[in-house]
Amino acid sequence: MEIVVCIKQVPDVPTVRMDRERMTIIREGVESVINPLDYIALEAALELRQKAGGHVCIITMGPVQSEVALREALAVGADQAILLTDPDFAGADTLATSHVLARAIQKIEPFPDLILCGMQTTDSDTGHVGPQIAEELGLPQVCGVNEIHREGKFLVVKRLSDGFVDTVKVTLPTLLTVTKGLCPVRDLPLGALEAAFSTKDVLEWNMTDLDLKKEEVGFAGSATQVRRLRTPPPRGSGDIIEGPPDVLVGHLLRRLEALSILDEEDEKK
Amino acid sequence: MRLEPTMKQAVIRRSVRKFSERRLIAAAVEMDKTEQFPWDIAEEMAGLQYFGLEIPATYGGAGLDSVSTAIVIEEISKANAAMGLCISVHNGVAASPVYLFGNAEQHRRFLNPLAQGKKIGTFCLTEPNAGSDASALETNAIRDGGDYILNGNKVFVTNGGISGINLIFAKTRADGKDLGFSVFIVESEREGLEKGPIEDLMGMRGNPVCPLSLRDCRIPLENRLGDEGGGLKIALSTLGGGRLGIAAQALGIAQASLDASIKYAKERRQFGKAICDFGAIQDLLAEVGTRIEASRLLTHRACDLREKGKKYTMESAMAKVYASEIAVEATRVGVQIHGGYGYTKAYPIERFYRDAKVCEIYEGTSEIQRVVIARELLKG
Ligand SMILES: Cc1cc2nc3c(=O)[nH]c(=O)nc-3n(C[C@H](O)[C@H](O)[C@H](O)COP(=O)(O)OP(=O)(O)OC[C@H]3O[C@@H](n4cnc5c(N)ncnc54)[C@H](O)[C@@H]3O)c2cc1C
Ligand SMILES: Cc1cc2nc3c(=O)[nH]c(=O)nc-3n(C[C@H](O)[C@H](O)[C@H](O)COP(=O)(O)OP(=O)(O)OC[C@H]3O[C@@H](n4cnc5c(N)ncnc54)[C@H](O)[C@@H]3O)c2cc1C
């Protein structure tokens, strides 16, 4: 099975910080790591390769520094790595990002049987990119997958939706976005890391390689623009009222009244 | 000159840190308490090639450069100094000399299992009457036909209780003639080698350090590492690299101590504020932070010289003496910042303090490092 995994580099912090002026994520001084779900996608791809044979190719769109994420993915066990980078790719929204990724996937030979993405990222968290790639390539898609089995020319996958487990049978080629629980992430042997950085190659494709025009990519190719950025007000800690139940009930009623949450009718009942 | 870690080195640090935080931090407490070596964890580490850091891939090692190796040892020691000591000694003064001075047959028999973590290595130089003055060692190896017969006592053998392959330094003699030191690779199961009881140490209690005795231990010629009489050369070359391991280890302990101190100083409140708001505490943190940074630069610079095949005797001694003294200082200050709680086992800082001290002692005491540095300085 020929598999392409899309990976994105994200800041290695519990919560991202935003630059309010430029309306972008602050990446300076923060170490970047592979988006955790993309790591899972990569491990899943390697598991499938082990069972079904084939190759795993990883791609990322990002600045030249994203090469490090690709090299780490090579250490995990991917066969090929392609960096999609061009100064004009900067400022891309999810649509422009998906467009570049879709174009790159079309250029990969042979066309993959399976494309894996993370369900969402820890920094921008839109969950748009996978579905948009599938749409652009005209492929079936299943999002939020946490189990994959192969059945002949189909994949049978499971996803969790609203407390139900959906089992979906899908034809290849297809695109899946994956989520936690699909497979474990292993520790990396040091020799694999050494080899990924000293002996492996990372291919680089720019706008011309992908036969894209300036107006299709980056800021110019984006359909959305960030108008305003706000941090939601922090949730208060709430009041804790203590006492015996009969006292508490009266206390609570008075509080609710004061907030005009209870109307007269309710109170009479 | 490059002072920043490379992309590769940064990823290696993150990767080892992740493993260490998950597997080694909790184990450190247990190891200190029970003095039991966690074989299950060591096996995992073997799978990740932590036992063959600088050894080429052909032998099953990771083939890392020297700076990466120091980074790995620092991160492991930050989480678990006793395990850091095991890795540092195994790689720096056991696997490394077998690689550098061993022949093809010795590589096959000894380097493969060492690099793959199937056997743990030791370096046995110190004796009851030969500490700083290694030339006073009394263990002797007398040639007997194609074999050597070894007799003597070694003390303070790091990894002693868990080792499979031991490098023994001994005086070689034949027909009553003194031929100088040689190094012998002695398997733990060989008849005539006996391990003594584990030392009841102040710190590094998770590492089974013990004495080792040789009674008419018959060693075939094929087990001699390097030339007959070549022991001094091997010892000097090995200790140069070993000191970088100790420097990295000290750096890890110092960094763990600073991190713990910062965390505590932000949490602990007195006089209505966090104690990190007091100038006196800030001074302590600033001083330790600065020196740790300096130790790291010294250590990585010495590693870089080693990597480039240049002489680094003085630089590694500088890195070792500076980093180990900073580790002791950082942990002492750490206990101080933790106040009375720092003097209890409720926090790991008291263990860091105990673990740090020995860095000033083994692989050459601070006094001996200064002798080495001064000798190099005065050469010019
Ligand atoms: C408020 C806001 C402002 C932003 N402003 C800017 C801006 O000005 N400039 C800018 O460049 N970006 C900006 N972004 C980020 C940009 O829109 C996204 O990083 C990018 O389009 C991917 O979206 P996502 O991270 O939400 O991906 P998701 O759709 O959540 O990601 C799902 C999966 O798609 C794949 N994927 C996503 N991105 C990539 C990629 N680059 N390469 C390979 N695979 C990928 C991964 O498998 C990932 O797990 C902004 C985001 C937000 C929320
Ligand atoms: C936990 C632990 C693990 C160890 N692991 C190993 C190991 O794996 N292999 C191994 O071979 N050894 C090992 N050692 C031994 C260690 O290397 C020696 O303890 C060290 O070299 C000092 O020797 P000594 O203890 O005999 O002290 P001594 O040499 O007796 O020194 C006592 C004091 O005198 C000072 N001194 C001695 N000579 C001079 C001088 N010329 N100028 C100034 N001051 C001097 C010393 O600095 C020290 O302060 C280990 C020790 C410990 C505690």
Side-chain angles (χ1 to χ4, degrees), chain A residues 18 22 25 27 45 47 84 87 102 105 107 125 129-130 144 173 182-183 209 224 235 239:
Chain A
M18 305 295 293
R22 295 163 49 216
I25 291 165
R27 295 177 196 277
E47 247 177 46
L84 314 173
I105 292 167
K107 191 178 151 87
D125 200 16
V129 173
L182 178 60
C183 60
D209 296 321
T224 58
R235 258 183 75 180
D239 293 335

Side-chain angles (χ1 to χ4, degrees), chain B residues 254-269 274-277 281-290 292-293 330 333-338 347 349 352:
Chain B
Q255 187 67 55
S257 177
L258 178 63
D259 293 351
S261 303
I262 291 171
K263 182 164 179 280
Y264 189 82
K266 283 182 175 171
E267 284 166 8
R268 175 67 174 169
R269 298 180 69 82
I275 60 167
C276 68
D277 290 333
I281 300 288
Q282 292 180 3
D283 279 353
L284 293 176
L285 293 174
E287 198 59 41
V288 166
T290 306
I292 289 175
E293 202 55 41
V333 161
V335 171
Q336 193 66 18
I337 291 175
H338 282 67
Y347 289 88
I349 195 81
F352 298 163

Side-chain angles (χ1 to χ4, degrees), chain B residues 340-362:
Chain B
Y341 300 95
Y343 198 66
T344 72
K345 293 205 188 320
Y347 289 88
I349 195 81
E350 65 82 32
R351 188 184 76 240
F352 298 163
Y353 195 19
R354 290 185 285 113
D355 286 344
K357 179 60 202 173
V358 74
C359 299
E360 294 181 322
I361 298 170
Y362 50 37

Side-chain angles (χ1 to χ4, degrees), chain B residues 123-126 131-132 156-158 358 361-363 365 367-368:
Chain B
F123 174 87
C124 311
L125 182 63
T126 306
S132 298
F156 292 125
V157 178
T158 294
V358 74
I361 298 170
Y362 50 37
E363 301 211 15
T365 62
E367 292 72 25
I368 296 302

Side-chain angles (χ1 to χ4, degrees), chain B residues 142-168:
Chain B
I142 298 179
R143 205 131 33 111
D144 181 45
D147 296 339
Y148 290 92
I149 311 281
L150 266 66
N151 275 289
N153 295 303
K154 296 293 178 178
V155 292
F156 292 125
V157 178
T158 294
N159 292 345
I162 48 174
S163 70
I165 291 174
N166 310 283
L167 301 191
I168 310 272

